[in-house]
Amino acid sequence: MTDAQETAADLRTTTGGGPPDDVEKAPIPLLEPREGIPPVVADEDALARVVAAFAAGTGPVAVDAERASGYRYGQRAYLVQLRREGAGSALIDPVGCPDLSALGEGLSGTEWILHAATQDLPCLREIGMVPTSLFDTELAGRLAGFPRVGLGAMVESVLGYALEKGHSAVDWSTRPLPEPWLRYAALDVELLVDLRDALEKELDRQGKLEWARQEFDAIAAAPPAPPRKDPWRRTSGMHKVRRRRQMAVVRELWESRDRIAQRRDVSPGKVLGDAAIVEAALALPANLHALSALPGYGQRMGRRQLEQWMAAVDRAKALPESALPQPGATPAGPPPPRSWADKDPAAAARLAAARTAVSALAEGLNLPQENLITPDTVRRLCWEPPQRLEADAVAQALAVHGARPWQIEQVTPALVTALAATT
């Protein structure tokens, strides 16, 4: 066991333990890179050496990626960090080395350790890195009952070290990357292996290790998310837009903004804010003067910019009725729960009973309700329950809705009792 793991002190914090608030706590040491900050790999020769070193390493590999959310268009990776026993740490620049498929292949069959894996896997997939198996330390923390599961909080409470803060939201597309940023990035993978080992031990102690493995396997096996249909409908504030002509304005402005943002490689919000799109849609301005008077189109916006947004508004206003967008399609599945009491009082009673049962069970298991069983799965089960409210029928329905075997085993008895009590 490493010194970092020994600092865990039997993982007191997983059960809310630790010293009382009135007891003076020893200062938490700031984590330091064990081998210094590695040089940034930005050419094929250096990448080949990293691939060889990490393929020859032993044990799992810690992986992290930094994006430029809020600065650049899309969610591409601008830095990839790795650490593995026998290979040390590496920082790779995906701008200089846009194809990391050789590295992905070199790590095939190796367990990847990521923190909040679903956030990083899409951008890693884009550059050719796809794990065959993984361990998600954030999800492990949730299943183990940690109240705070951010990487810094987990490293501090489990391993007894403080991570440097302050660079998580910087523009990682900056070149060259400042040394303090690189230090921060390198430290993100410094103790991931230690954290993984400690969490595995704690999950095993709680009897939840198999649960975690099923969750990790599901993440690793999940296909890429399909493109969103009508992404303009997700504009913040869209709930204020009621009329179809106004919806058309949102669509035209959103699509114009997206084209400009993609061409300039900047975040769409830096081109035009969602609030400004909604303001124009609600007002349906008649001319440039009226548009410039709206919030988000003030003095800082040049005439050329105003003209391009006004042209989008005019295109929407000129559309025939047949070309206007329809109100949002009813999502698949049950309606919003707030309407259940009117639409189907029996279903509303089932949902209330099921939620109470799941909440009590999750509390007893010391894990979040949404990790025990997703709220959507509970809603679908309660809206259209099986004809037989027996364990096998409920279990089959849960499986159809995507519940994992461990979840089905845990929640089925409680849900059968809850549903039966409402009939």
Side-chain angles (χ1 to χ4, degrees):
M1 180 177 286
T2 67
D3 292 340
Q5 288 173 293
E6 292 174 347
T7 314
D10 296 327
L11 299 171
R12 296 188 300 269
T13 53
T14 62
T15 55
D21 292 338
D22 58 348
V23 175
E24 184 176 352
K25 301 176 183 178
I28 299 174
L30 191 65
L31 182 63
E32 298 286 345
R34 280 173 270 191
E35 298 123 15
I37 303 172
V40 177
V41 173
D43 62 71
E44 294 304 318
D45 289 341
L47 177 61
R49 291 192 291 271
V50 166
V51 170
F54 274 79
T58 59
V61 57
V63 182
D64 190 25
E66 305 294 347
R67 300 176 299 280
S69 303
Y71 297 94
R72 295 289 183 173
Y73 185 86
Q75 294 294 316
R76 65 173 294 188
Y78 282 94
L79 188 69
V80 175
Q81 309 100 279
L82 305 101
R83 183 172 181 85
R84 191 180 191 191
E85 185 69 29
S89 295
L91 302 177
I92 303 175
D93 179 5
V95 177
C97 302
D99 182 4
L100 299 187
S101 55
L103 178 59
E105 293 168 3
L107 295 172
S108 179
T110 299
E111 179 189 82
W112 293 22
I113 309 169
L114 302 102
H115 193 81
T118 54
Q119 294 183 20
D120 286 341
L121 288 178
C123 70
L124 291 170
R125 186 186 298 272
E126 287 183 359
I127 53 179
M129 296 185 66
V130 182
T132 52
S133 66
L134 62 83
F135 189 107
D136 186 333
T137 49
E138 185 202 47
L139 181 51
R142 292 182 185 278
L143 294 175
F146 280 77
R148 297 164 58 227
V149 293
L151 181 59
M154 294 285 287
V155 168
E156 183 174 322
S157 61
V158 176
L159 302 178
Y161 284 97
L163 288 179
E164 291 186 2
K165 303 175 182 179
H167 302 304
S168 60
V170 299
D171 181 2
W172 288 96
S173 68
T174 301
R175 293 297 184 271
L177 285 165
E179 188 271 344
W181 298 12
L182 295 174
R183 175 187 177 86
Y184 166 91
L187 290 174
D188 271 358
V189 293
E190 184 80 12
L191 289 181
L192 268 186
V193 175
D194 300 86
L195 183 59
R196 174 239 182 271
D197 291 345
L199 289 172
E200 182 181 60
K201 180 180 178 181
E202 176 62 13
L203 287 167
D204 190 37
R205 186 188 71 80
Q206 295 186 24
K208 299 176 180 176
L209 184 56
E210 177 56 28
W211 303 1
R213 286 172 175 158
Q214 290 182 27
E215 294 298 308
F216 301 156
D217 288 346
I219 294 173
R228 293 188 186 277
K229 183 180 180 181
D230 293 341
W232 58 270
R233 292 185 185 271
R234 296 178 63 85
T235 302
S236 180
M238 188 69 189
H239 63 281
K240 303 175 186 177
V241 181
R242 304 290 186 182
R243 293 156 48 193
R244 294 174 62 202
R245 184 72 59 184
Q246 294 173 329
M247 293 180 187
V249 173
V250 173
R251 181 177 64 186
E252 289 291 336
L253 285 171
W254 191 97
E255 291 178 349
S256 295
R257 179 185 71 174
D258 195 64
R259 288 191 295 269
I260 294 168
Q262 187 171 14
R263 185 178 70 246
R264 291 169 50 189
D265 191 18
V266 296
S267 169
K270 289 186 174 295
V271 177
L272 186 68
D274 279 10
I277 290 178
V278 171
E279 288 287 346
L282 295 176
L284 294 174
N287 50 46
L288 276 179
H289 179 73
L291 179 65
S292 65
L294 296 176
Y297 302 90
Q299 295 179 348
R300 294 183 180 180
M301 187 171 288
R303 183 177 181 84
R304 184 176 178 182
Q305 290 175 295
L306 281 171
E307 288 175 344
Q308 69 185 6
W309 303 131
M310 192 66 224
V313 173
D314 287 341
R315 286 195 300 272
K317 291 165 69 175
L319 289 172
E321 287 288 325
S322 60
L324 296 178
Q326 297 294 328
T330 303
R338 62 179 177 273
S339 67
W340 285 28
D342 294 328
K343 292 179 180 291
D344 189 339
R350 288 193 295 268
L351 182 61
R355 283 174 164 174
T356 299
V358 169
S359 177
L361 184 58
E363 183 176 356
L365 293 171
N366 191 30
L367 78 169
Q369 294 181 44
E370 63 270 19
N371 292 114
L372 175 59
I373 191 75
T374 68
D376 180 67
T377 297
V378 175
R379 286 193 295 269
R380 289 173 184 269
L381 176 71
C382 292
W383 185 252
E384 294 184 357
Q387 291 184 346
R388 293 183 302 105
L389 293 180
E390 298 175 2
D392 61 338
V394 170
Q396 183 177 5
L398 292 173
V400 168
H401 296 316
R404 255 74 73 189
W406 77 268
Q407 295 175 316
I408 295 171
E409 180 182 359
Q410 293 299 316
V411 303
T412 294
L415 288 176
V416 168
T417 301
L419 296 178
T422 62
T423 59

